[in-house]
Amino acid sequence: MDDTTGHGTGQDDERGGAQGTGQADERGGEQGTGQADERGGEQGAERPAQERLRERRAAVGRGARRTLSRRGWGDTIRERLALLTEAGPSAYDLDEAGDVYGNRIVAALEDRVAALLGTEAAAFFPTGTMAQQVALRCWAGRTGDPTVALHALSHPVLHERDAFSRVSGLRPVRVGDGPRLPTAAEIRDFEEPFGALVLELPLRDAGFVLPTWQELTEVVEAARERDAVVHFDGARLWECTEHFGRPLEEIAGLADSVYVSFYKSLRGFGGAALAGPKTLVEEAKSWRHRYGGMIFQQFPTALSALIGLDRELPRLPEYVRHARVVAAALREGFTAAGVPWARVHPEEPHTHEFQVWLPYEPDVVAEAAVRQGEETSVLLFATPWAGVGPGVAMTEVTVGPEGLEWTADDVRAAVRDFADRLPDRP
């Protein structure tokens, strides 16, 4: 094993690490797997190899002349600061004083988010983990029911160290299974009451999948029939408009509250927002303070979020459309290269992110990906690979500004070159 056993990609996630999945992220070893860590045992012996591969991949990512997917948070501090100084003036008056405990630029960001989502108010939070815990804690107080229904592959179930129950006193129950969101029938037939239903849009660990608009509205209606509130885990909600064919405010309007992230689709420095009714948001701000989220100054993060809303949000539909071109070219390339049962999931991506599955151990494909970058300065797969079954590896692809520069022919040629670095299979 190497660090390819990452949370799908090894990408940082502001809501927490990879809990209970058997996958590790770039910030540490595996959790909840029963495997030994660096203090001893088999995994400790493999740690140097993991570190070397991580360093090689990072070096290739910095130096490659072409990269299909590029993680903005991996830029140097100088590059990140340049974003604020070069793009910042168009997003906010940099001659204004910085924020103090959530006023000024942070308040301006909150107002912008509420307007975009069509809600009465929004509150800035340093992390999505905190935002969602607070939202659901507030709803539990209003409904009188601390039970939260959510999919077995949803982020709070897999990656937050049981924060709902350990920190917030909530009781999560799992509804729905398989690589899809719960259905209306599953909501109606669930055997016990629940006060809130959480829907992750898109469902990242299932392959960034979304329901149809009709399916989504039916699920929401089914929850309401049970007198449950509906909360959208919308960490990547920004990228859903193309699939649904609806504006953000119409999508968010289905839910009682919505959480959005600023660093995923929008490439900000971090942070999140909780949007919903004004009374809920005001209560959430009190809990934000109690949870330690009233940070003295957050203007760099808030400014990066405003820049993301200006620069990335308008381009997300274009990224989604081109992701479909890239996914088809990847599939065609692997077929032409004779790689058996390679998979792109979903076959037509629902957002600008999707999964690629290959019939090899993760360390094999990870090495091939890094060597391709080192030898050609073209990096087709920039994120780590996870083992998702015996002899099967998976990675995630995100099509952003860099990916728009790749034609279908470019992708097919890169796949052919990558496949040449894979060992022959019997």
Side-chain angles (χ1 to χ4, degrees):
M1 289 168 46
D2 57 14
D3 77 326
T4 58
T5 52
H7 169 64
T9 66
Q11 295 181 13
D12 273 340
D13 195 310
E14 68 185 359
R15 297 172 295 177
Q19 168 76 10
T21 63
Q23 299 179 352
D25 63 19
E26 291 188 346
R27 295 161 293 175
E30 295 190 308
Q31 301 175 30
T33 65
Q35 297 186 7
D37 61 17
E38 63 267 28
R39 292 168 292 182
E42 182 180 355
Q43 186 168 337
E46 294 170 351
R47 178 61 60 180
Q50 294 180 13
E51 296 294 339
R52 286 195 299 272
L53 183 63
R54 182 182 299 127
E55 292 167 1
R56 288 170 60 203
R57 185 175 55 248
V60 168
R62 289 191 296 268
R65 62 180 174 83
R66 297 200 75 184
T67 303
L68 181 60
S69 300
R70 188 167 184 271
R71 299 168 294 175
W73 56 262
D75 291 342
T76 65
I77 294 175
R78 186 180 301 279
E79 289 169 330
R80 299 295 264 171
L81 290 175
L83 173 71
L84 300 184
T85 57
E86 294 170 7
S90 64
Y92 192 80
D93 185 355
L94 301 190
D95 289 324
E96 291 282 341
D99 61 296
V100 177
Y101 292 122
N103 66 358
R104 302 189 180 109
I105 188 172
V106 174
L109 174 61
E110 292 171 339
D111 290 343
R112 177 101 179 259
V113 170
L116 284 168
L117 299 180
T119 60
E120 291 182 348
F124 180 86
F125 279 79
T127 73
T129 297
M130 185 186 297
Q132 298 212 100
Q133 281 191 57
V134 166
L136 293 166
R137 182 169 196 148
C138 292
W139 283 126
R142 293 169 182 232
T143 65
D145 188 342
T147 305
V148 178
L150 65 179
H151 192 278
L153 292 178
S154 62
H155 195 282
V157 171
L158 295 182
H159 308 297
E160 295 182 11
R161 297 176 181 260
D162 302 320
F164 271 16
S165 54
R166 290 181 176 271
V167 178
S168 298
L170 302 171
R171 177 175 172 264
V173 293
R174 302 179 186 185
V175 56
D177 55 20
R180 55 164 178 75
L181 273 293
T183 66
E186 288 170 331
I187 298 302
R188 290 191 180 95
D189 297 340
F190 194 70
E191 61 272 14
E192 58 181 298
F194 52 84
L197 171 67
V198 176
L199 297 174
E200 184 177 333
L201 302 175
L203 188 56
R204 185 262 181 94
D205 278 274
F208 304 96
V209 297
L210 290 164
T212 65
W213 180 252
Q214 181 176 344
E215 288 169 341
L216 180 60
T217 57
E218 289 174 352
V219 167
V220 171
E221 289 170 3
R224 297 265 163 73
E225 290 171 8
R226 301 187 56 140
D227 296 325
V229 298
V230 177
H231 171 79
F232 284 172
D233 177 343
R236 296 171 172 84
L237 190 76
W238 310 111
E239 63 201 56
C240 296
T241 57
E242 184 72 12
H243 174 82
F244 287 133
R246 300 290 196 283
L248 278 169
E249 61 267 26
E250 188 173 354
I251 300 170
L254 290 178
D256 296 285
S257 59
V258 181
Y259 141 69
V260 290
S261 171
F262 296 125
Y263 88 87
K264 296 181 176 70
S265 308
L266 301 182
R267 297 190 167 202
F269 289 4
L274 171 65
K278 184 176 181 180
T279 55
L280 177 81
V281 170
E282 290 303 315
E283 182 184 359
K285 288 181 178 179
S286 296
W287 281 106
R288 179 182 64 185
H289 196 168
R290 296 179 182 121
Y291 272 68
M294 281 293 288
I295 298 173
F296 178 55
Q297 287 196 309
Q298 302 186 87
F299 64 88
T301 302
L303 180 56
S304 74
L306 288 169
I307 293 169
L309 291 172
D310 284 348
R311 297 176 59 173
E312 293 300 307
L313 183 58
R315 303 189 73 185
L316 282 170
E318 183 182 13
Y319 297 162
V320 175
R321 291 189 293 269
H322 196 63
R324 297 166 184 166
V325 174
V326 170
L330 285 168
R331 191 166 54 250
E332 294 162 1
F334 282 118
T335 299
V339 178
W341 50 271
R343 294 289 185 271
V344 173
H345 175 69
E347 286 196 4
E348 182 174 287
H350 298 174
T351 73
H352 68 309
E353 301 175 277
F354 55 90
Q355 296 176 341
V356 174
W357 295 50
L358 292 178
Y360 295 90
E361 294 295 339
D363 58 336
V364 172
V365 282
E367 176 64 26
V370 171
R371 279 201 298 113
Q372 181 181 30
E374 291 171 339
E375 295 168 5
T376 69
S377 196
V378 173
L379 190 58
L380 180 62
F381 298 114
T383 55
W385 291 79
V388 291
V392 180
M394 182 272 289
T395 193
E396 294 173 351
V397 174
T398 300
V399 176
E402 301 79 18
L404 292 180
E405 300 174 3
W406 290 60
T407 66
D409 286 342
D410 293 335
V411 175
R412 285 189 286 264
V415 170
R416 184 167 56 250
D417 182 72
F418 170 78
D420 287 343
R421 290 169 168 78
L422 294 173
D424 293 333
R425 292 184 63 85

